Structure formats: C-alpha cells, structure tokens
Amino acid sequence: MSENGTRILVVDDEPAIRRFLRVSLAAHGYIVSEAASGQAALAAATSQHPDVIVLDLGLPDMDGIDVTRMLREWSRVPVIILSVRGQETDKIAALDAGADDYVTKPFGMGELLARLRAALRDNYEVLPLVMGDDAFDALANAYIAAHPSTHYSLRWFGHQLGAFMAAQDTLVAHPAMVDLAHLEWALRNAFDAAPASPLAPAELAALPAQDWPALRFVLHPSAHLLALHWAVGPVWHALKNGRAEVPPPDALAHHLLVWRQGMQTRWQSLTEAQAVFLQGLRAGHPFGRICETLAQQVGDDHAAATAVAVLHELLAGGVLAEMQTAASASPAC
C-alpha cells in the first residue's frame, strides 16, 4: 500500500511492541517513527511534527501521563494511549491529562480500527440504519484507510465522509445516502457550534435608511447551507423516530438550512429567494448587492420587499448573529 502521508510517532520502551506497530501501521499506509523514552518522544514531537502519537505510559524516564501533559502545553496532536494499566483511575488520569483515547494491552489492530468505526457511528446515527451494518462497516473501513484520523478529537473524524461517499459508487447503493451523510454531519456540527446571541430586530429598527445598502450580516456559527439532490429530510426524521422501514426519497434539487436555535437543532427547506439571500450572506455581500441579485429572480419592483421578508424570517429563527455597518466594518488592508 502506498503511503498516505499521515505520520505516526510510536512511543514505547519495548522493541517488540514498536516493531509490531511499525509493521502493522505501515501496512495500512502510515509513515511510522519511533521513540523509546519520554524525552525522546518530546524531542521527536518537536522536530518531526507527527499527525498522531501512540504512547505507552510505562516509559523508563517519565510517566506517559506526564509526557501527555507536557505535550498539551504547546500541541494538540492526537494522543492514543496504549498501556498494560487497565484501572479506571489510570484511564481517567490519562484522559484528563489530554489523551484522546485509551487502549489496554494486549491489543490488536482490529481494536484500533473498531474505535474509529465507532466514532463514525456516533457522528452518523441514521446512515447505518439506511445502509445496513455490513455495508456501513465496509464504507467505514474504506474511509479509514483513505482518511486516517489526524484531528485531536475523534469527534471530528468523519468530516470528509460525504465527499468520500460521492466518489464510491461500489460502496453506496443509492446516491441519496450521500445527501443523508451531509445532512447528518451538518446537524451534528450545528448542535456542537459555538454559542452566539441572535441579532435582535430592535437593532435593525434603529438603523438609518441610508446605511442599509452597505449593511452586512453575520450568520450564527451553527448555520449550514446545504445543496441537496434528494428529499432526505423526511427519511432522516422517520428513522430517527424509530420507523423500521421508509420508502426511498424522491429526487429533489433544493437548498436546506441547518442551524441551532437555543438548544434545538433545526432545518428548513429554502425557497429560491431564501437560498439566494443566504448565499449572498455567506459570501459576505452587502444588503444592497443581495437585493440586486434577487432582482434577477423576482424583478426590480419586488427585490427589496423580498429581501426584507427573508430577513425577517431569518431574524425570527435566530439565524443571524450580528450586523456590520460601513462604519463598524474593519478597514481594508
């Protein structure tokens, strides 16, 4: 297998363990380097910039928990602990120090791969129900081989699954599953997005009319605009609510807005005018330019009224986080 570019630093004082990991990981396409002590691990992490560190706790010069804690002072590189220590207190201490996962020796490569598959299932709850366990596991294994986890948190493993599925005709039985993957990832991201206070209508009411053309709006951090080709929303909702079988979705090219209002994750199918308006906001266009774009859809006489109506809907839903007038915008560099 050709190298995939992901660099893994294996830290263990047992040569046999290092050799096993080097051979096994290299067979999956990883680039492997080794260290036999805590100090050597810290030096290698500084000079080699690995994508992942596989770390033993029982090192000859310092405890692996201390190594993890020192790494976290300057690095967010993912750390997976491999240790003979199986006590809960050891696992808690390692995770509290900044480790991302904990695997107890003896272990197999299958266990490591299974942990990544479990992370995918956590992020995509409905997709395995549609595909079936065997088909989803085959997809997950192929995705893991093509996109080894390099993020410091397994929560973000899977962010490329939708795009990966779109190029895998042999692993995806129906193209609607690609849209379903994009929807599930957007829902999870919306729920986990940073909090932000929604823009209040009263803030707009006090704005002078001459400031409106240059006005820009900032979307809530949770807002995602999806371009979908299938009506997967009802399928997701039905399976999420326990229905064992649902009919295949209809073909439907449309835009979907996913966002969080308070603690409630929502989605809404958009009209063409709503989609045009949100695309303009996402591109950073001022209100006046968005109205000009809308005029091509609804005509000059209706553009301003349509833009105001869409704006009111977004305000009511908490989709907008702030506004920027020409005076408040940062000067161009």
Side-chain angles (χ1 to χ4, degrees):
M1 179 180 292
S2 62
E3 292 181 348
N4 58 43
T6 302
R7 303 177 303 276
I8 296 185
L9 172 62
V10 173
V11 185
D12 200 299
D13 63 335
E14 298 183 38
I17 294 292
R18 296 200 306 272
R19 182 169 57 254
F20 168 74
L21 288 172
R22 181 179 68 249
V23 172
S24 299
L25 291 170
H28 285 81
Y30 295 93
I31 302 171
V32 183
S33 58
E34 302 175 26
S37 67
Q39 290 294 342
L42 293 170
T46 303
S47 62
Q48 299 175 16
H49 304 290
D51 298 305
V52 182
I53 296 177
V54 177
L55 176 64
D56 183 30
L57 294 183
L59 300 173
D61 55 343
M62 66 176 70
D63 195 279
I65 292 177
D66 293 327
V67 175
T68 302
R69 191 174 292 113
M70 295 172 71
L71 280 169
R72 286 296 174 255
E73 293 178 359
W74 58 273
S75 174
R76 291 306 306 167
V77 61
V79 175
I80 299 177
I81 301 295
L82 294 182
S83 176
V84 295
R85 303 179 196 171
Q87 297 297 317
E88 183 180 12
T89 53
D90 293 315
K91 296 179 181 180
I92 292 174
L95 294 171
D96 284 346
D100 298 280
D101 206 346
Y102 195 110
V103 179
T104 304
K105 297 177 182 178
F107 66 94
M109 289 303 298
E111 180 179 359
L112 295 177
L113 296 176
R115 288 176 183 269
L116 293 177
R117 288 197 299 271
L120 283 175
R121 286 182 179 272
D122 183 58
N123 287 326
Y124 297 91
E125 298 179 71
V126 171
L127 190 60
L129 300 178
V130 174
M131 298 186 67
D133 289 337
D134 291 343
F136 183 81
D137 285 347
L139 172 67
N141 287 333
Y143 177 77
I144 291 166
H147 299 281
S149 178
T150 59
H151 198 276
Y152 68 84
S153 171
L154 282 179
R155 155 67 183 88
W156 300 104
F157 180 63
H159 70 286
Q160 300 181 75
L161 183 64
F164 178 76
M165 292 173 64
Q168 302 296 321
D169 293 341
T170 59
L171 295 174
V172 179
H174 194 291
M177 294 179 182
V178 176
D179 278 3
L180 186 60
H182 286 305
L183 173 60
E184 289 212 274
W185 189 255
L187 287 168
R188 176 56 67 93
N189 280 352
F191 184 80
D192 288 344
S197 299
L199 181 64
E203 298 180 61
L204 283 175
L207 195 68
Q210 63 267 22
D211 290 346
W212 276 82
L215 188 62
R216 286 179 166 85
F217 295 95
V218 178
L219 292 170
H220 191 277
S222 66
H224 295 268
L225 183 60
L226 304 179
L228 303 179
H229 304 281
W230 298 87
V232 294
V235 172
W236 184 92
H237 192 272
L239 291 171
K240 182 71 173 177
N241 285 279
R243 285 185 55 183
E245 294 184 6
V246 295
D250 296 326
L252 178 65
H254 66 295
H255 285 86
L256 198 73
L257 174 66
V258 179
W259 81 104
R260 189 185 70 238
Q261 187 175 19
M263 294 303 295
Q264 183 72 35
T265 304
R266 302 179 179 276
W267 80 66
Q268 174 185 338
S269 293
L270 302 176
T271 65
E272 187 172 0
Q274 290 171 326
V276 168
F277 191 96
L278 283 164
Q279 288 168 340
L281 292 188
R282 193 169 61 174
H285 295 164
F287 187 77
R289 181 171 175 182
I290 293 174
C291 288
E292 293 174 0
T293 305
L294 279 172
Q296 301 173 21
Q297 304 290 334
V298 300
D300 292 337
D301 294 339
H302 302 287
T306 301
V308 170
V310 173
L311 182 58
H312 285 168
E313 293 171 355
L314 298 178
L315 287 170
V319 182
L320 304 178
E322 64 177 283
M323 64 178 182
Q324 297 174 346
T325 62
S328 65
S330 299
C333 297

